[in-house]
Amino acid sequence: MKEHSSDNIIEQATNYLSSITENPRLESEILLADLLQKDRTDFYKRSIPIDQASYKKYQTILSQRHLGMPLAYLTGKKEFWSVLLKVNEHVLIPRPETELLVEQCLFIINNYENPSVLELGTGSGAISIALAKEHSQIPFTATDLSTKALDLARQNAIQNHVTNVSFKQSDWFQGISEQFSIIVSNPPYVDRDELTRDQVSKLYYEPEIALYADDSGQSALSHIIKTSHQFLNKHGFLLLEHGYNQQDFCQKQMHESGYTNVMTYQDSNHLPRVTMGQIK
């Protein structure tokens, strides 16, 4: 049976993916390493023989990537805040920008005595698990409307030895009865009408419910801001991730809802990304 060498097929794959990604060589290596259950650095030590069955599987994976399926869905994993998470088509792929939300939430937790934290729309569990690994004695509650997302989030918690997050199905605050010190959320905030056809196609494989919101992408943000004060302790904090052009909207809504000390923080691209407020 014909065998192929890793050097040759990685070179072929790099050429094939060059039209759809800025890092075709890196992605080619990641996908092959995942298929073969090897470390990517192994390809630099020697050329590895690839049997025909593995070669065919690799071609199928490359075809899916070429059609736009995200790398994280093809490998089934994504790193976030140095935490390795399982991901699939039922959850949004964690973005580097969201680490700013974790960073700002940790700053508050570190200066708060015995806080309790609620995350709305947890998806893969990325935010709560990242926070919980930093503070294993603090109780976290993480909600999501999707039972499939919650199943995956629970798996991620177990995989990362996190035991202080309680996962609960809830449509935003619908299933919540207690109050918290901190509420944090990365809700859907994308305005589909604002996107180009190319931008929409790049988001095609991710769950629409986790991406898009009505009213120019503002409906979920508005609902959380207007309702959250009922579920916060006195002087509690609300932290929200939002779009680069939604800073003024979030600040205005927070002020109108009784929040003080309202501030917006920029992500690594110097774009407004997280707005925080404190209830009176």
Side-chain angles (χ1 to χ4, degrees):
M1 185 176 289
K2 183 179 180 182
E3 280 195 343
H4 306 264
S5 71
S6 58
D7 287 349
N8 288 339
I9 69 170
I10 287 173
E11 184 178 350
Q12 293 169 13
T14 300
N15 292 332
Y16 181 56
L17 296 181
S18 61
S19 62
I20 59 101
T21 175
E22 295 178 355
N23 303 293
R25 172 86 190 191
L26 175 62
E27 292 196 13
S28 300
E29 293 173 355
I30 289 172
L31 291 170
L32 186 59
D34 183 69
L35 174 65
L36 301 177
Q37 295 296 290
K38 292 185 176 294
D39 192 283
R40 192 169 63 85
T41 57
D42 291 342
F43 300 134
Y44 291 88
K45 297 173 185 175
R46 62 186 179 88
S47 184
I48 299 170
I50 313 294
D51 62 45
Q52 186 66 10
S54 297
Y55 177 75
K56 285 186 175 180
K57 286 181 183 177
Y58 187 53
Q59 297 305 307
T60 299
I61 293 168
L62 289 174
S63 296
Q64 292 175 302
R65 180 68 189 108
H66 197 267
L67 288 171
M69 182 172 284
L71 190 71
Y73 287 161
L74 289 169
T75 62
K77 53 183 179 280
K78 179 71 175 179
E79 188 173 321
F80 177 84
W81 198 264
S82 300
V83 175
L84 190 62
L85 301 163
K86 295 180 181 179
V87 293
N88 60 29
E89 69 277 9
H90 301 299
V91 300
L92 194 70
I93 299 168
R95 267 61 167 182
E97 294 84 3
T98 303
E99 293 190 350
L100 175 64
L101 194 60
V102 174
E103 183 181 323
Q104 294 304 323
C105 195
L106 282 174
F107 180 79
I108 295 172
I109 289 173
N110 292 337
N111 292 279
Y112 212 115
E113 188 174 349
N114 301 320
S116 56
V117 182
L118 168 66
E119 184 198 357
L120 299 170
T122 193
S124 66
I127 294 170
S128 286
I129 291 170
L131 292 168
K133 280 186 75 71
E134 299 277 353
H135 288 276
S136 59
Q137 303 305 311
I138 291 176
F140 292 85
T141 300
T143 73
D144 206 285
L145 180 61
S146 167
T147 56
K148 291 180 178 178
L150 288 170
D151 287 344
L152 189 66
R154 291 187 182 99
Q155 292 176 41
N156 280 325
I158 293 169
Q159 176 178 285
N160 286 282
H161 310 291
V162 166
T163 58
N164 53 319
V165 180
S166 173
F167 294 99
K168 180 182 292 188
Q169 185 181 18
S170 178
D171 186 359
W172 300 127
F173 294 101
Q174 195 174 63
I176 303 300
S177 56
E178 63 267 49
Q179 290 185 312
F180 298 84
S181 313
I182 301 165
I183 295 175
V184 60
S185 182
N186 174 22
Y189 56 75
V190 177
D191 178 7
R192 187 197 295 269
D193 295 334
E194 187 190 51
L195 301 183
T196 64
R197 184 177 296 181
D198 183 56
Q199 288 172 323
V200 171
S201 68
K202 287 180 179 178
L203 297 172
Y204 173 77
Y205 290 92
E206 297 188 74
E208 292 190 1
I209 193 173
L211 284 169
Y212 301 112
D214 296 332
D215 300 330
S216 302
Q218 299 172 347
S219 59
L221 290 166
S222 179
H223 176 73
I224 292 170
I225 294 170
K226 290 178 179 179
T227 313
S228 54
H229 67 277
Q230 302 172 41
F231 300 90
L232 278 171
N233 296 327
K234 189 175 181 180
H235 306 313
F237 290 87
L238 173 65
L239 295 96
L240 291 174
E241 180 174 330
H242 53 74
Y244 72 94
N245 58 351
Q246 295 170 327
Q247 171 184 346
D248 292 344
F249 172 80
C250 288
Q251 288 196 1
K252 183 174 184 290
Q253 290 271 303
M254 283 192 183
H255 284 302
E256 290 178 354
S257 298
Y259 283 89
T260 60
N261 302 321
V262 176
M263 296 184 66
T264 298
Y265 301 91
Q266 295 185 341
D267 61 23
S268 58
N269 294 314
H270 307 293
L271 296 172
R273 187 62 60 187
V274 170
T275 294
M276 177 197 77
Q278 186 176 22
I279 203 73
K280 292 178 182 178

